Amino acid sequence: DPHSLVGQVAIVTGASSGIGHAAAKALAKAGASVLVNHPPTAGSMEKAAAVVAEIKADGGVAAALGADVSKEEQVDAMVRETLRLFGGLDIMVANAGIERPAPIHEMSLSQWQAVIDVNLTGAFLSARAAAREFLRRGPQPNLSLAAGKIVFTSSVHEFIPWAFQANYAASKGGMMLLMKSMAQELAPMKIRVNSVAPGAIRTPINAASRDTQAEMEDLLSLIPYGRLGEPEDIGRTVAWLASDASDYVTGTSLVIDGGMSLYPAFRGAG
Ligand code: NAD
């Protein structure tokens, strides 16, 4: 079964909630052992432990580990710990991300830097650590057609501009060319690098933007498919991109947005 991840090991960063949680569950369901990363902040450890418990209750294998993806030593230590716990690494899902919205003329350097550090530098550090291990180890034809798989959680805001979230859009635009450049560089070594680019998914990151009925209606008017995305919509695509079922796919952003990027305002025009 080309969808099977049995015998493989995955790290999912920012996996204690939202899309990372769903990706961790989907990867474990397909048979991978999953390192559920969370930031070393109050409350996150308990949430990650609950994700691990869910996966185990489902018959899967998982462990939780705190590491701040924006810190080089912590990311490298996370990969070392994964190798120690599970004996290898086959899949890196660089998913951790934050938003710090502000009008551009009021955006502080710390708001700018926080988003770039986690979303872009964190993705670089996670992907670099994985690539180093994939290259050191080389292909494992008994496990997978590829010698390693990297999946970034980007966003439709890697190509749709976002007023009041210029830091976020810049981080995801940067992520797009990080992903494509890595894919071009690593393809000869049989390492595949791709992104998922979600639209509006029901997770804690955007809970405030759908507080009221009116806000919810505004959001839905942007989505031709007529519903918000669920974390599982993204999770199962991450598992597919990590499996041999997508073996010839590399350097691609898979847009998963219910048609949000299809210029829905034009349905009524012309
Ligand atoms: P979320 O807030 O539930 O998930 C983000 C996760 O990242 C959290 O678990 C958080 O603890 C973790 N995190 C934050 N800083 C970290 C750090 N320094 N080190 C390690 N982990 C850290 O929201 P989500 O929507 O699931 O977000 C996941 C990814 O999906 C993000 O990269 C986000 O930009 C992207 N995304 C979300 C949407 C959406 O509509 N929800 C759309 C497009 C892209």
Side-chain angles (χ1 to χ4, degrees):
D1 174 7
H3 292 90
S4 170
L5 299 176
V6 170
Q8 299 191 47
V9 177
I11 293 176
V12 182
T13 69
S16 55
S17 63
I19 291 169
H21 174 188
K25 283 183 71 176
L27 291 163
K29 192 97 190 154
S33 301
V34 181
L35 197 285
V36 174
N37 161 259
H38 60 88
T41 51
S44 294
M45 197 165 70
E46 292 73 13
K47 284 196 230 158
V51 174
V52 168
E54 249 181 83
I55 289 173
K56 287 184 173 165
D58 234 24
V61 177
L65 186 79
D68 180 339
V69 296
S70 69
K71 299 286 190 314
E72 185 174 35
E73 326 76 62
Q74 294 188 35
V75 172
D76 292 346
M78 171 175 73
V79 170
R80 282 197 304 275
E81 183 61 10
T82 302
L83 299 177
R84 195 187 68 75
L85 281 171
F86 296 133
L89 180 66
D90 306 278
I91 298 155
M92 171 63 78
V93 182
N95 166 79
I98 59 172
E99 295 179 3
R100 292 286 183 277
I104 193 68
H105 62 288
E106 289 171 3
M107 187 176 286
S108 66
L109 180 57
S110 71
Q111 285 173 319
W112 169 265
Q113 200 69 58
V115 170
I116 297 299
D117 282 355
V118 174
N119 297 16
L120 185 55
T121 306
F124 158 69
L125 291 171
S126 304
R128 184 187 68 173
R132 282 178 174 164
E133 175 53 22
F134 299 158
L135 291 169
R136 187 197 64 74
R137 183 191 68 172
Q140 303 279 296
N142 55 320
L143 284 178
S144 175
L145 296 169
K149 285 90 54 162
I150 297 169
V151 181
F152 294 103
T153 305
S154 183
S155 165
V156 291
H157 295 297
E158 73 174 33
F159 58 91
I160 301 180
W162 205 7
F164 311 106
Q165 298 243 30
N167 46 359
Y168 184 90
S171 75
K172 299 298 189 180
M175 176 181 265
M176 177 179 69
L177 279 173
L178 170 66
M179 179 277 285
K180 289 184 189 240
S181 301
M182 285 188 66
Q184 190 192 64
E185 184 171 334
L186 297 172
M189 283 72 94
K190 295 284 175 285
I191 297 169
R192 296 193 296 111
V193 189
N194 293 288
S195 292
V196 287
I201 314 301
R202 193 193 309 273
T203 75
I205 210 173
N206 54 19
S209 69
R210 41 193 163 77
D211 274 346
T212 66
Q213 183 72 21
E215 283 170 323
M216 191 65 182
E217 277 165 22
D218 278 354
L219 190 54
L220 284 175
S221 75
L222 299 174
I223 309 171
Y225 206 59
R227 66 166 175 87
L228 278 188
E230 300 299 333
E232 295 69 27
D233 290 316
I234 313 301
R236 59 173 168 269
T237 312
V238 170
W240 179 76
L241 280 174
S243 77
D244 284 350
S246 63
D247 185 56
Y248 206 50
V249 180
T250 194
T252 285
S253 283
L254 220 156
V255 176
I256 311 165
D257 71 346
M260 191 177 220
S261 54
L262 298 175
Y263 300 95
F266 276 75
R267 290 192 75 229

